Structures are given as C-alpha cells and as structure tokens.
C-alpha cells in the first residue's frame, strides 16, 4: 500500500488554524482512519490531529520500530515505540501495587485502584493497532442484550443484526482470514453465501494437541451441559484469498505500507511476534487505512495533542478544538492552534476520549462521561505438557475455546473465551528469557546441554489466557485532576477501578476448568498467583492475578436517550450535535470479543451518519458563523 | 536456418526447460547478495533483493506452468539444472559473467545487466553466433549451443513465436498443443508473491501472457518502468540502488524522482566470490556446513519439482523451507574462512554429488 510521500507534512498548525474543515478528527488510529477514509471518499475535507510523532509511514520507519523492539530488554506491547512525554502512554511495566488511599501517580495513568491495571493503549500513528494481536471476532447477539436477557450490565440501542453489514465492512477493511463454518456458534450468523476475505488460518500443532484433550469434553455451566471444542480464531492477518469472496470477485490482501513500492506482508509467514509488531506487516494496522485516506487528500497534523474542546454555550455545538503542537518529544515547547470544522470526531481511545472531554469541562448531561470503564480481565493458567508440543511456532494465538463465551450461566457469572498461546508462558512468567536465566543460573547448563534443556522446557509450555468479561459499572471510571498533568500541560487520566464479583465468579470457574483440562492433557499445572502481584484479587478465599486486556470500552456509552447515555447509536453526542465520540468508549458492554472489530464496524456505521449530516447541514449561515474567526478566543 | 529455433514440440520443451534453468540461475546470485547484508542494515537493498528473488520464483512457477501445459515435465533435479558459477548471460552479441558474490556495486551492475531491457536492432540479429565458448551460457539456443540470443527478452520472444507457430500448426492438423494435466498448474491459491499471481496456463492466450509477464517483470513493459501488473520492473528496482533514489508514478526511465534512498556498501559480509567446496579446508566445520547447505538446496529443488509435477499444494510449505535456506546461508556467510582474513564463506550451490550421483 503506497503512503503518499510527504503526507505527514501537508499542513502546519498555522494553516490548520486558518482553515475550516468539513470534519476534524482527533486520533489517527483505526477509528479515525476508517472515518477519514469514508468521509474523504464522499468528497469531504478532513483533518486528522495525531498526538504521536506521525512521520510518513515508510518501510525504514517501520523497521526502526522493529529494531527497537528486537533490542529491547523487556518485550512489552509498547517496546517498539519511543518514549514521548508530550503524548505519554501507559506501559505494563509501569504498574505498581497500590496502597489504599494513595493514588499511584508514578507513571502516566494515575491509579486510585483498588485494582491496579496493566492495561495499555498505543499513542502513535495507527494507534493501538500498532501493537494489537489482530484477533477479530464478532460479538455474540446476546452481548448486545445483556440487561434484558440476563439482568447484567446494559443493553445496546442496536442489535447484532443492525451491526452485521458493518461487521462485513470491517472484515473487508482489516482483511480477515477465517472460515464461516468455524465461526458460526452461539447465535452468530452471516448472510447466506457469505465468506471471509481470506481463508481461515490453520490451527497450530499445539492447538491440535490441546484439541485432543479438549474436544468433546462436557462441562456444566448454569445448569446446562456445554461441549467444548478447540476452534481457530478469525485473524486480521493475511492468508490465502478466498476466490468466492464478494460474489466471486475475490480479495487482494494488503501488505506493507510505504512511500515507495515494496511487496511484503501479503501473507503471514508465521513469525511469532504479531504482538507487538509483525515484521512483514501481514498483520493489519491502521496505517493501511490511513494510507488510503491520505491518498484521498486527507490532511494530517502530527505531534499535535488535542487540549480542549470548545463549545457554543447556546446550542452546545462544538466550535473548535484547541491543540498543542510540539516539535521535539523531549521538550515541552509548543505552539497552540485551533481546528475548526462542521463536525468533530474524537477517536483517541476510550480513556483519552473521556480524558479530553472531562479536561474540557464536558461531563455529559447524563453524568456518564468517563464512567463504566471496561477492559477484559485476563486470568492466565500455565502448565507443562508431557511431550514436545511445538510451542513457539506459528502466530501468537491461532486457536482457542469459545463455547463459554455465551449461555444462560451469564445470569450468574461472567462468560469467557480461552486463548491457547503459541508463544508459551511469556505473558505469565517472562518466558523464554526467564527459562534461559533459570537453566544457566540454577541448573548450570551450557553448550548443547543448555540448548537441549531450553528446547525441552519451552516447547512443552502451554498457556491458557482466559479472557473474562467485565460488565459496565459506573464507579469504574476515568476522571481528571488538575494536580496531575503531562509535560505538555494536558491533564492525565485518573483511573478508579475494581474487578466486579460477577467477573471473579467467572474467573474462579475458569481456574477450575483450566485445572480440569490440564489434568486431561496430563500436563503439570505450574500456575501460581502471588499475593504481592499488583493485579492480585482475592475472591471467596482464593487469590488470582488478573491482567489487563487492552480492550478498553465504556467511557461514553451509547444508549437510547440523553439520560442513560453519552452518545446515540451512531456515536453522536447527545449534548453536542456536531460531535461524535467514537471507539470502544461507545460500547455499553464488551462481551467476550476483542473490541477492535466491533469498533471498526461502529465507525463504518457512524461514517454513514456523518456523511448524511454533512450533506443535510449545508446552510451557508452555519458555515459563515464557523469561519468568522474567533480562533484567538481560546487560551494561549 | 531454423534448427536453432523452435520447430517441433520437442524443441518447445527444450526451450521451456532452458527457461526454467535461466529463471532459476539468477536466484543463487540474488539470494547470496541478499543474505550478505548485515541484519537490519540496508533496508532498501534488502527489500529490492527480496522482491526480486520472490519474483524469480514466480517466474520459475510460470515457466513450469507453460511447460506443463504443453505436456512437458519440469525437472529441477536434473544434473545440469544448476549452472556452474560464474555463469554467462548474453549481452547483445557478447556475453557477461554472473557471479555469486556479496552485495556490492559490482553485484548491482551484474543485476542491471541481467535485467536490462534490450531488443535486437534487426530481425536477423535476434539470434547470433556465440562470441565465446567458455562457461555455461544461459539464453543460448538450447537446440543449437553455437547460437545465442541477443538478450533474455529475445529468448522469450522466440518462445512466444514458437508457441504461436506450433499452436497454428497443430490446429491445422486438428491437434491440440495444450494437452497438459490441469492439476499440475500452480494456481494463486498455492503460490504467493507480492508482485503478481501465477497465471494458469490452459491455452495459447494464457501461455503468451505468462511468457510476457516473465519478460516484462524484469525489463518493464513497452519501454516503461512498470510491468503489466503496475509493479516496478526489476531493472529499475536495481537502478534505484545505483542512483540513490526511488522511482514514483509518472517517472521516466533513468530519472527517478521519488524519495531518496540510502545504500551502505560497508555493512556487508565480504564473502568469497564463486566459492567452491574446495575453498574450505578439508574436515572443517565450514566445509561441512557448506555441504549441508547444498543438500538442503538440492532438497528444495526436489521439493519444487514435486510441486510442479502434480502436488502444487506443497508450495504452502515453501515459506519455512526458505527460512531454512536463509538460516543455513547466513550461518556460512557470517563465518570467516580459516587462513583468509577478511574473506567469509559463501554457499557454493554445487549440486553435483548431492543430486544425480557422486561428485
């Protein structure tokens, strides 16, 4: 995919401040990229404000990310990206145990607790899709009706069927590899004859080995018998195009993005570092969509962090977004600019969206801005298989168990999906690096013995990651506090978060299930949760280490009225008729699906509404009012 | 004089086998240059070489498709299939040597020579007597080793002419030229290259498209810098390295106006040019590793032969196989040769002794 040369230098703060756009978008992640692409195709003039450095996407630039990752001692999700105090991002390595009553403000996210999350999101061009795993499952129909079906959480104002066509658009955009027959379960349906753009990626050897012990196992959940099966996941990485796609037109995979022709990434090569970064760009990242959008003439202003959303006190409409443009990530020096447009779109992720609105004094008449913060709670279970299982081969996660994502048991406890990790115990223990250390330091092995011991240890590792749903809870929230600011003067997000009992009941069920499956596989359970772990949660006399999922949602939930929600079903703000808050924040529940596919689908839906609104609101008077130049009215 | 040209189906088979040989013969030099680059250095050169290697493999698959379509049978394990290096390629009425060597300005010159667009000035000079007898000349007339084509382009032009000629002649006698087993065709499902898809050859039209594609991807189409799939032709990809600038849409040949690119000629393993097993001390680890690589490579060729003779699905396994080639080549090239300071080992691609009997 060609990234237009110098696209990152098309405009500057001064020129932006003198322009009136059709749409101003905050954030160059998947939401902003999809909306920018859709609006620009409809002939609208679009500006993207990007907080990260946002240079042209070149192969060399991408490879710099890779080199930084390869040479990093800690290979966490953010390890490819340079530290940027002007647009800081949380890192899993920053988390500290929280002393009750004393917020931990030692890193970007200020955490009140009681639970300390290691959740992250990535603030570079492309957003969190620059580190995501690209597992792209649809939500279940029941996930949209949790309150009415199970008396838990909230109902969505739309159902699965309303979103279905947009799921298809998202699957095309991301380039999903999956087979319909594997992905039809628990009420998920497709129109007749639908196929995914590319054929499903195969299960790994490890998956198949686990399947031998799992397939056909019957468990009881909520009084019902459920039969388990290992299934492949739909993946946002390139596989073999399905010739039957799009009524027989087929599909052309989108490979690497660069300012010149480079043919790589058209197929997954099975490297095992999808997270944080695919070496060949076979895994989707939003840069692929951004390249198209910029090709349509979208303007991008990078190194520009939105500072304040200004509104008209009479009609509530957003008049402009004030931003700060820095030159050097290490220096607080900046210029202030204002971006004006007919509509505004904030797509900076669930936490940053709420942070910006709250920092602008826009709490939503519902009082829900920043509330209902959700993130999947991960419970890791790890064991040593009795024989070599090929761990370390294939992409990070190719298969898992989805049968307990839904069911009547959700009236009592959370549902969950189970990922089988082809990358071994890394997430839980820091393998294989910790294994190496142990074999050298404790077992004193070297040479061929060391190699053999390492292979023997690592290639038998089995890690189940239970992705447990977290229902919306108004007291789990993002706030801001003028006492906590970043280098550029932006207020930092303050999190208050606890893991609900509903989730912990699901986690406890999951732990027992893991033990049972390990037993069936003859695997030695090595799981241990330390009470000193920052994510340690006690529940009914047992302790569990809960990890963050980086699947953030709920901070500006959608609903049926201004009283019960921040945005409507098209992600338009109830309070501000020309403002759309987009992304995971709009989701009233996150169910048991990784959130990005649903976010993308919602953005396709919203883009349709935005185009309608832009076409309907062509009154010249409004345009004049918008351009009459109160650009200096904002605080310098 | 027509004996050196294609007059019978046997001639056509011989030519297409020579085409397979020719397409393959560029892979060892390109791959050696590719893996001689230090890890993480020279991204532009690395990508250029990688794309070209992958596309030469596509050409190999296309040549196999054409040969299969006319009832031939590709055999990449034949004793003479891999040339001895330096091999020779025509350069108008002369020829030039193709060496296996490190990435260098000289290597880029050779690559430009390989891919350079060249059309014979007159019809008569398309096929000319060989200028010299030493070395294995590729794109010679495979039916008359005394004659050579003016360029690779002219060699393929003759295949295209031969295909048309035989197809017409067969039609006149109510016979079919394209009788090959459809199941032997490599289809897009089983072979992937960023720069194009395998063309399934079932008749004259698709055969000509395949032949045009092979020639066009190297040299560009009709004097332009792009091929029929809108991909930059190999010649211009290499020229970017020489000129230090990328081409972009709308550019004229020899005048790229895209972003600048940087080549670092120094971050390269200095490997022995056209290395032979005998260059490595008897009993040394290097010699063992070099022999092992040759075995792996022979295995790869036999794997491709199976894929081209009825099991195209095997190509899905080609990715890990190529990672293995990469790893074994890198192992050699990162090691200096004992007693020769500053000279590193290289793969020798000597198949004698590993395929078809004793050395």
């Amino acid at each position: 995919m060609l990234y237009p040369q110098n696209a990152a230098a098309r405009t500057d703060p001064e020129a932006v401040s003198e322009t009136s756009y059709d749409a101003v978008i905050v954030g160059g992640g998947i939401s902003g990229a999809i909306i920018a692409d859709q609006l620009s195709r409809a002939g609208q003039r679009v500006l993207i404000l990007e907080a990260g450095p946002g240079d042209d996407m070149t192969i060399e630039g991408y490879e710099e990310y890779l080199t930084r990752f390869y040479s990093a001692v800690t290979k966490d999700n953010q390890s490819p990206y340079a530290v940027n105090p002007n647009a800081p991002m949380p890192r899993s390595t920053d988390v500290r145990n929280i002393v009750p009553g004393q917020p931990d403000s030692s890193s970007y996210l200020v955490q009140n607790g009681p639970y300390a999350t290691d959740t992250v999101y990535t603030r570079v061009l492309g957003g969190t899709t620059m580190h995501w795993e690209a597992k792209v499952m649809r939500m279940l129909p029941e996930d949209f009706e949790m309150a009415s079906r199970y008396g838990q959480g909230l109902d969505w104002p739309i159902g699965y069927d309303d979103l279905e066509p947009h799921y298809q658009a998202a699957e095309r955009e991301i380039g999903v590899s999956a087979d319909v027959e594997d992905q039809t379960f628990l009420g998920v349906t497709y129109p007749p004859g639908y196929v995914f753009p590319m054929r499903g990626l195969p299960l790994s050897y490890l998956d198949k080995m686990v399947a031998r012990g799992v397939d056909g196992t019957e468990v009881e959940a909520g009084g019902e018998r459920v039969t388990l099966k290992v299934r492949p996941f739909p993946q946002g990485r390139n596989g073999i195009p399905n010739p039957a796609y799009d009524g027989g037109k087929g599909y052309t995979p989108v490979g690497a993005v660069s300012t010149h022709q480079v043919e790589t990434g058209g197929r997954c090569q099975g490297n095992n570092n999808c997270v944080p970064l695919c070496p060949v760009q076979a895994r989707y990242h939003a840069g692929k969509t951004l390249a198209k959008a910029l090709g349509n003439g979208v303007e991008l202003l990078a190194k520009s962090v939105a500072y304040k959303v200004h509104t008209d006190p009479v009609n509530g409409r957003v008049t402009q977004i004030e931003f700060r443009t820095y030159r050097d990530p290490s220096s607080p020096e900046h210029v202030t600019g204002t971006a004006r447009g007919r509509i505004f779109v904030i797509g900076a992720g669930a936490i940053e969206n709420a942070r910006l609105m709250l920092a602008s004094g826009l709490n939503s008449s519902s009082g829900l801005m920043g509330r209902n913060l959700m993130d999947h709670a991960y419970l890791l279970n790890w064991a040593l298989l009795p024989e070599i299982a090929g761990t370390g081969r294939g992409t990070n996660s190719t298969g898992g168990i989805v049968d307990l994502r839904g069911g009547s048991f959700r009236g009592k406890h959370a549902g969950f999906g189970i990922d089988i990790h082809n990358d071994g115990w890394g997430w839980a223990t820091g393998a294989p690096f910790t294994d190496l250390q142990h074999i050298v330091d404790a077992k004193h092995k070297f040479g061929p013995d060391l190699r053999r011991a390492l292979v023997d240890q690592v290639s038998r590792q089995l890690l189940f990651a239970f992705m447990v749903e977290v229902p919306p809870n108004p007291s789990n929230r993002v706030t801001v506090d003028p006492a906590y600011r970043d280098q550029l003067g932006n207020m930092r997000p303050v999190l208050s978060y606890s893991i609900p009992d509903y989730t912990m009941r699901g986690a406890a069920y999951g732990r027992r299930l893991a033990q049972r499956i390990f037993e069936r596989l003859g695997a030695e359970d090595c799981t241990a949760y330390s009470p000193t772990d920052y994510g340690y949660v006690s529940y009914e006399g047992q302790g569990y280490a809960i990890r963050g999922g980086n699947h953030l949602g709920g901070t500006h939930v959608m609903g049926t009225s201004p009283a019960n929600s921040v945005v409507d079903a098209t992600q338009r703000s109830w309070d501000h008729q020309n403002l759309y808050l987009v992304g995971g924040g709009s989701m009233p529940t996150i169910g048991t699906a990784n959130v990005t596919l649903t976010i993308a689908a919602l953005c396709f839906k919203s883009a349709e509404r935005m185009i309608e609104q832009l076409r309907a609101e062509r009154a010249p008077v409004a345009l004049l009012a918008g351009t009459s130049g109160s650009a200096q009215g904002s605080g310098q | 004089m027509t004996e050196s040209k294609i007059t019978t189906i046997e001639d056509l088979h011989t030519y297409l086998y020579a085409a397979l040989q020719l397409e393959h013969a560029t892979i060892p030099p390109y791959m050696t240059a590719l893996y001689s680059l230090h890890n993480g250095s020279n991204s532009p050169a690395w990508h250029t070489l990688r794309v070209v290697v992958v596309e030469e493999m596509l050409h190999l698959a296309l040549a196999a498709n054409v040969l299969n379509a006319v009832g031939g049978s590709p055999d990449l394990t034949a004793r003479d299939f891999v040339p001895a290096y330096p091999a020779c390629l025509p350069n108008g009425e002369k020829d030039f040597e193709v060496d296996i060597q490190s990435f260098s300005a000289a290597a880029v010159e050779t690559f430009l020579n390989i891919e350079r667009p060249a059309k014979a000035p007159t019809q008569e000079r398309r096929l000319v007597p060989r200028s010299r007898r030493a070395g294995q000349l590729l794109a010679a007339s495979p039916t008359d080793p005394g004659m050579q084509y003016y360029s690779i382009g002219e060699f393929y032009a003759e295949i295209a002419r031969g295909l048309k000629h035989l197809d017409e002649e067969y039609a006149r006698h109510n016979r079919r030229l394209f009788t090959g087993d459809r199941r032997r065709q490599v289809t897009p499902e089983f072979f992937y290259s960023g720069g194009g898809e395998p063309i399934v050859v079932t008749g004259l039209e698709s055969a000509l498209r395949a032949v045009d594609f092979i020639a066009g991807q190297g040299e560009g189409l009709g004097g332009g810098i792009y091929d029929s799939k809108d991909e930059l032709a190999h010649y211009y990809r290499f020229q970017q390295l020489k000129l230090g600038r990328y081409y972009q849409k709308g550019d004229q040949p020899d005048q790229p106006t895209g972003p600048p690119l940087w080549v670092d000629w120094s971050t390269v393993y200095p490997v022995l040019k056209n290395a032979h097993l005998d260059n490595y001390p008897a009993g040394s680890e290097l010699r063992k590793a070099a022999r092992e690589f040759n075995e792996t490579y022979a295995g790869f060729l036999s794997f491709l032969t199976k894929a081209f003779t009825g099991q195209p699905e095997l190509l899905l396994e080609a990715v890990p196989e190529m990672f293995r080639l990469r790893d074994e080549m890198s192992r050699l090239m990162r090691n200096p040769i004992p007693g020769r300071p500053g000279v590193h080992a290289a793969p020798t691609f000597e198949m004698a002794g590993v395929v078809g009997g004793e050395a």
Side-chain angles (χ1 to χ4, degrees):
Chain A
M1 173 61 64
L2 275 180
Y3 188 96
Q5 205 191 327
N6 297 330
R10 250 178 217 165
T11 190
D12 57 58
E14 215 171 305
V16 163
S17 297
E18 285 163 11
T19 308
S20 184
Y21 293 91
D22 291 317
V24 172
I25 299 173
V26 176
I30 188 168
S31 299
I34 287 174
I35 290 167
D37 186 39
Q38 295 297 308
L39 298 192
S40 57
R41 268 196 226 199
Q44 308 295 332
R45 185 166 183 191
V46 179
L47 171 74
I48 297 176
L49 292 172
E50 167 57 41
D55 304 319
D56 273 357
M57 281 206 172
T58 61
I59 276 289
E60 291 83 357
Y62 191 90
E63 285 166 354
E64 257 174 54
Y65 288 155
L66 277 172
T67 306
R68 195 177 291 115
F69 160 68
Y70 290 144
S71 55
V73 176
T74 309
K75 313 260 185 222
D76 66 299
N77 294 349
Q78 312 283 43
S79 57
Y81 308 107
V83 170
N84 181 357
N86 287 333
M89 44 189 162
R91 280 187 84 156
S92 53
T93 49
D94 291 339
V95 193
R96 303 281 176 272
N97 292 74
I98 297 171
V99 180
Q102 287 179 22
D104 173 31
S105 61
S106 60
S107 56
Y108 179 59
L109 286 185
V110 180
Q111 298 211 41
N112 275 324
Y115 170 74
T117 181
D118 60 1
T119 203
V120 297
Y121 49 92
T122 303
R123 294 177 83 188
V124 298
L125 196 58
T128 300
T129 61
M130 293 305 289
H131 91 239
W132 75 321
E133 192 188 334
K135 199 185 279 145
V136 279
M137 38 206 159
R138 295 181 176 196
M139 287 177 71
L140 307 175
E142 64 184 60
D143 290 336
F144 296 84
E145 306 163 357
M146 287 301 289
S148 47
R149 278 215 209 189
Y150 301 126
Q152 295 291 338
L154 299 168
D155 280 350
W156 288 51
I158 51 170
Y160 176 86
D161 292 339
D162 299 312
L163 207 52
E164 204 285 329
H166 307 295
Y167 269 133
Q168 289 185 40
E171 282 157 357
R172 173 192 288 268
E173 188 65 41
I174 290 169
V176 176
S177 297
D179 293 320
V180 163
E181 51 275 26
D182 293 329
Q183 307 305 333
T184 304
F185 50 80
L186 294 171
V188 173
T189 52
Y190 307 86
Y194 182 69
V195 299
F196 288 92
M198 291 167 280
R199 293 205 163 119
L201 295 176
L203 288 175
S204 68
Y205 182 77
L206 175 65
D207 292 330
K208 289 178 190 161
M209 194 168 251
V210 172
R212 291 213 302 259
V214 165
D215 286 5
T217 301
E218 283 201 347
V219 297
E220 199 246 274
E224 285 173 12
R225 294 183 92 72
V226 180
T227 308
L228 304 183
K229 178 183 183 338
V230 171
R231 286 173 190 270
F233 287 122
Q235 308 260 357
R237 68 193 86 252
N238 291 327
I240 299 171
N242 192 328
Y245 184 68
D246 197 8
K249 289 192 200 120
Y251 179 83
T252 308
V254 179
V257 177
S258 188
T259 48
H260 59 273
Q261 280 201 333
V262 53
E263 282 87 44
T264 185
R267 290 288 189 287
C268 172
Q269 301 177 348
N271 288 289
N272 202 335
N273 56 277
C274 320
V275 179
L277 208 55
C278 172
V280 297
Q281 305 188 46
R283 184 206 64 182
Y284 172 86
H285 60 77
K288 297 185 182 185
T289 302
L290 275 170
K292 286 193 293 179
L294 293 165
N296 300 338
V298 167
E299 291 169 49
L300 174 74
L301 188 65
K303 296 196 182 87
S304 299
V305 189
Y307 179 76
K308 190 176 180 190
V309 178
H310 292 263
T311 56
D312 182 323
V314 178
N315 61 20
R317 289 174 76 96
V318 174
T319 52
Q320 60 190 31
I321 289 178
E322 181 185 343
F323 59 85
R324 295 183 166 185
T325 303
Y326 58 92
R327 190 174 314 178
D328 176 353
S330 61
S331 157
E333 200 186 314
H334 65 273
V335 295
T336 296
T338 52
R340 281 167 297 120
R342 296 164 62 208
I343 65 167
F344 295 83
V345 181
I346 302 182
I351 289 181
E352 291 298 321
N353 277 9
R355 185 203 66 71
L356 175 61
M357 292 299 284
L358 293 168
S360 306
L362 303 170
N363 298 1
S364 169
S365 48
S366 64
L368 291 173
M369 188 69 75
R371 292 189 182 270
N372 294 309
L373 174 66
M374 288 174 279
D375 181 20
H376 286 125
Y378 272 91
L379 183 74
L380 308 180
N381 289 276
W382 58 104
L384 211 53
L385 285 160
E387 53 186 305
I388 301 276
T391 307
R393 290 175 187 227
T395 57
N396 283 170
S397 179
T398 39
I401 303 165
V402 298
D403 306 290
L404 292 162
R405 281 182 56 198
S408 59
F409 66 86
R410 291 173 93 185
K412 296 201 190 76
H413 69 78
F416 52 79
I418 308 172
D419 304 345
I420 301 165
H421 266 257
N422 291 325
D423 51 352
W425 294 355
W427 194 1
T429 69
F433 310 102
T434 46
D435 297 305
L436 176 66
Q437 225 164 7
H438 179 74
I439 296 166
V440 172
D441 290 350
K443 296 189 174 169
H444 308 296
K445 303 230 182 218
F446 56 89
D449 283 350
L450 170 59
R451 272 207 295 277
R452 212 167 301 124
L454 193 60
V455 168
D456 181 59
Q457 165 76 9
V458 173
S459 58
R460 292 195 293 139
Q461 291 180 349
L462 171 63
L463 177 86
F464 285 144
F466 282 65
M467 184 175 89
V468 190
E469 75 176 307
V470 171
N473 174 356
S475 61
N476 281 344
R477 63 189 297 204
V478 179
T479 54
V480 290
D481 180 338
Y484 303 115
R485 291 182 188 268
D486 67 17
Q487 177 175 278
L488 213 54
N490 270 302
M491 282 191 252
R492 288 155 51 188
V494 180
L495 264 58
S496 304
Y497 197 81
S498 63
I499 307 284
D501 280 356
Y502 176 79
T503 300
M504 290 313 299
R505 271 195 294 282
Y509 179 98
R511 175 73 190 121
R512 290 192 297 274
L513 178 60
Q515 286 167 321
R516 197 175 144 200
I517 296 174
F518 289 159
E519 219 173 272
R520 284 187 69 107
L521 291 166
E524 177 195 345
D525 190 359
C526 301
T527 312
Y529 307 123
S530 163
T532 61
D533 190 292
Y534 56 78
Y536 193 76
V537 180
S538 293
Y539 176 74
E540 289 190 340
Q542 295 284 324
Y544 305 85
I546 301 291
R547 293 281 169 262
N550 318 331
H551 302 158
L552 296 159
T555 54
H556 45 81
V557 290
M558 64 167 60
T560 50
S561 81
N564 67 15
S565 53
V566 180
V567 298
D568 69 12
T570 66
Q571 306 192 80
R572 186 165 83 165
S573 158
W574 292 110
D575 290 355
H576 315 288
Q577 291 290 294
N578 63 339
L579 174 68
Y580 292 80
L581 296 165
V582 301
S586 301
M587 295 167 67
T589 60
I590 54 173
T592 47
N594 307 48
V595 292
T596 302
L597 185 75
T598 302
I599 290 172
L602 286 171
C603 287
F604 276 105
K605 181 176 165 66
S606 296
E608 287 178 3
R609 168 71 177 284
M610 291 173 197
I611 293 166
E612 264 171 44
Q613 180 175 357
L614 284 166
R615 287 186 176 150
E617 291 182 5
R618 283 224 177 264
V621 179
L623 260 181
L624 282 173
T627 52
S628 64
S630 57
Q632 301 311 312
S634 57
Q636 285 282 332
Chain B
M1 277 301 292
T2 52
E3 301 90 46
S4 48
K5 295 191 175 175
I6 300 169
T7 53
T8 65
I9 182 92
E10 289 76 23
D11 293 344
L12 182 62
H13 287 179
T14 310
Y15 264 77
L16 286 166
Y17 175 76
L20 273 171
Q21 227 181 343
L22 168 63
E23 292 306 323
H24 167 268
T26 58
I27 291 174
Y30 287 149
M31 250 192 337
T32 304
L34 172 61
Y35 295 131
S36 74
L37 298 172
H38 288 187
N39 215 3
S41 73
N42 271 315
S43 170
W46 197 90
H47 283 283
T48 301
L49 284 159
R50 196 200 69 88
V51 165
V52 172
V53 169
V54 171
E55 290 179 354
E56 295 301 340
M57 297 211 181
L58 171 63
H59 298 176
L60 204 56
L62 285 173
N65 274 358
V66 180
L67 180 54
N68 272 317
V70 294
S73 195
D75 182 6
L76 283 60
T77 64
R79 206 185 166 84
D80 65 342
F81 184 76
V82 180
Y85 292 93
C88 297
L89 273 170
N91 184 11
E93 292 171 26
K94 298 212 168 98
D95 55 41
F96 66 95
E97 288 188 349
V98 178
D99 299 305
I100 291 185
Q101 60 184 326
S102 295
F103 177 75
S104 59
V108 171
E109 276 310 321
T110 305
F111 300 159
L112 285 167
N113 277 331
I114 294 174
E115 310 284 355
R116 175 171 284 121
K119 217 170 153 46
T122 62
Q123 199 57 22
E124 293 74 51
R125 283 161 71 191
R126 288 181 52 218
L127 191 59
V128 292
R130 273 197 70 174
S131 57
R132 63 169 163 165
R133 294 280 160 168
Q136 186 172 350
L137 181 74
L138 300 151
S141 163
T143 51
D144 180 357
M147 301 293 279
Q148 73 179 56
Y149 280 92
Y150 191 86
S151 64
I152 294 176
E154 294 293 2
F155 171 76
Y156 280 109
E158 173 57 19
I159 292 182
R161 192 206 59 79
L163 280 163
K164 280 186 253 182
H165 164 75
L166 285 176
D167 188 62
E168 255 172 50
E169 195 177 277
Y170 272 55
R172 257 203 311 279
H173 295 93
N174 279 326
R175 289 172 59 201
R176 285 174 52 232
L177 177 64
F178 293 90
T179 55
D181 185 348
R182 186 69 206 266
R183 284 168 301 184
R184 283 190 169 207
Q185 292 291 311
V186 173
T187 58
E189 216 179 328
F190 300 123
F191 186 93
Y192 160 73
S193 118
E197 287 186 342
I199 295 164
V200 176
V201 179
T202 52
L204 183 64
E205 183 273 333
S206 45
L208 292 176
R209 242 184 321 123
V211 170
D212 270 6
F213 183 79
I214 298 174
Q217 196 158 43
E219 307 180 344
L221 208 65
I225 59 175
Y226 291 96
D227 68 16
S228 57
K229 296 277 194 271
D230 233 15
E231 295 290 332
L232 193 61
H234 294 176
Y235 178 80
Y236 299 101
R237 283 181 193 270
F238 285 123
Q239 203 189 31
Q240 294 179 142
L241 300 180
K242 187 177 169 180
L243 301 178
R245 189 167 288 283
Y246 287 109
Y247 278 103
Q248 60 181 349
K249 274 282 140 68
D251 281 351
Q252 294 302 308
D254 310 326
Q255 290 159 4
T257 66
L261 71 78
W262 174 250
V263 177
D264 181 354
W265 303 104
S266 68
T267 48
V268 174
Y269 296 105
V271 307
L272 181 64
K273 190 157 129 180
N274 301 322
H276 297 284
L277 281 179
D278 291 343
N279 296 124
Y280 308 132
S284 66
E285 284 188 70
L286 271 187
R287 187 157 173 145
K288 186 163 163 272
R291 195 178 300 114
E292 276 168 12
F293 171 78
N294 287 343
E295 281 161 16
T296 303
Y297 198 74
F300 185 64
L301 292 177
S302 105
F303 169 91
L304 288 180
T305 303
K306 281 191 202 128
F308 293 155
T309 51
Q311 298 177 67
E313 68 281 358
L314 279 179
L315 289 172
L316 293 177
E317 310 286 321
V319 173
E321 290 299 321
M322 291 184 62
F323 280 152
R324 196 191 311 278
L325 293 179
R326 175 196 65 186
D327 292 346
E328 292 192 14
M329 287 180 77
S330 300
R331 183 166 64 151
L332 282 166
M333 294 198 277
R334 286 172 196 196
N335 279 290
I337 302 174
R340 299 186 71 164
V343 184
H344 284 225
T348 70
F349 293 95
E350 291 163 295
M351 297 295 106
V354 262
V355 275
E358 295 298 302

